[in-house]
Amino acid sequence: MTEYERAHTMPAPPEHVFDQAADIGRMGEWLPGDLHVHAGEPPAVTVHEDRTDEDVSALFRARRDQMRLEWGTREQGGYTGWLQVAGIDGGASEVTVHLSFFDDSHDPGEQTVGDALDTSLRRLEDQVRLRVDNAAG
C-alpha cells in the first residue's frame, strides 16, 4: 500500500471550505482535470479517469458534522481517500487530503500524485476565494 498526504491553508471558515469541496456538481472545478465525478444513487458515484479512459464505480460520503469527505473504489478496492477541513485561528481553515493506493496498478506515482494534490488544493482555494468574495460583495 502506498499513501500520500498534503495540507493547505485556506482563507475561509471551515464550513465554507467544506461546502465547496463536498458539492459533487462542482468538483470538476478543483479536482485534477483528468478525473470526472458523476453522482449516482448516494453514496454511489462514478469516476471517469481520462488517463485510463475508464469509468469506475466508487463511493463518496460527506460527513458535515466531522467536516470530512471520504471516497474509494467499490468493487476493485484500488484506492481510498479522505479530505478533512479544520478551523484555525483568524477564520481560516486547514484542508488535508490523504490518498491510499492498495493496488500498485492504480498508483500513478509519487510525483504525479503530489502534483495533482497540490494543484487540486490550490484550485479548491481559488473556488473558496471566489465564493467568499461573491458572498461579501
Side-chain angles (χ1 to χ4, degrees), residues 18 21-22 24 27 41-45 58-74 80-83:
F18 180 82
I24 291 177
M27 284 184 166
E41 180 90 20
V45 296
L59 296 174
F60 175 80
R61 288 188 181 87
R63 302 178 188 278
R64 192 168 208 290
D65 60 324
Q66 298 173 9
M67 294 287 142
R68 184 176 178 94
L69 305 177
E70 299 171 342
W71 61 87
T73 52
R74 287 177 82 172
T80 64
W82 52 262
L83 179 146

Side-chain angles (χ1 to χ4, degrees), residues 32-52:
D34 62 344
L35 290 179
H36 313 281
V37 178
H38 305 283
E41 180 90 20
V45 296
T46 300
V47 178
H48 180 82
E49 185 176 350
D50 291 346
R51 180 176 63 99
T52 61

Side-chain angles (χ1 to χ4, degrees), residues 10-137:
M10 301 198 184
E15 296 81 11
H16 291 305
V17 175
F18 180 82
D19 289 345
Q20 183 69 40
D23 186 344
I24 291 177
R26 302 187 79 184
M27 284 184 166
E29 296 172 7
W30 65 272
L31 284 175
D34 62 344
L35 290 179
H36 313 281
V37 178
H38 305 283
E41 180 90 20
V45 296
T46 300
V47 178
H48 180 82
E49 185 176 350
D50 291 346
R51 180 176 63 99
T52 61
D53 196 32
E54 292 180 0
D55 288 331
V56 177
S57 296
L59 296 174
F60 175 80
R61 288 188 181 87
R63 302 178 188 278
R64 192 168 208 290
D65 60 324
Q66 298 173 9
M67 294 287 142
R68 184 176 178 94
L69 305 177
E70 299 171 342
W71 61 87
T73 52
R74 287 177 82 172
E75 290 91 24
Q76 298 88 346
Y79 68 90
T80 64
W82 52 262
L83 179 146
Q84 183 73 51
V85 182
I88 56 177
D89 293 337
S93 301
E94 181 174 69
V95 179
T96 303
V97 179
H98 184 95
L99 295 176
S100 299
F101 291 92
F102 303 106
D103 180 344
D104 288 341
S105 69
H106 290 281
D107 181 358
E110 183 174 358
Q111 184 71 43
T112 300
V113 173
D115 290 348
L117 289 175
D118 290 338
T119 300
S120 292
L121 286 169
R122 283 192 303 273
R123 289 176 64 187
L124 178 57
E125 179 184 7
D126 291 345
Q127 293 306 309
V128 167
R129 282 182 190 273
L130 284 173
R131 179 179 174 176
V132 169
D133 289 348
N134 286 339

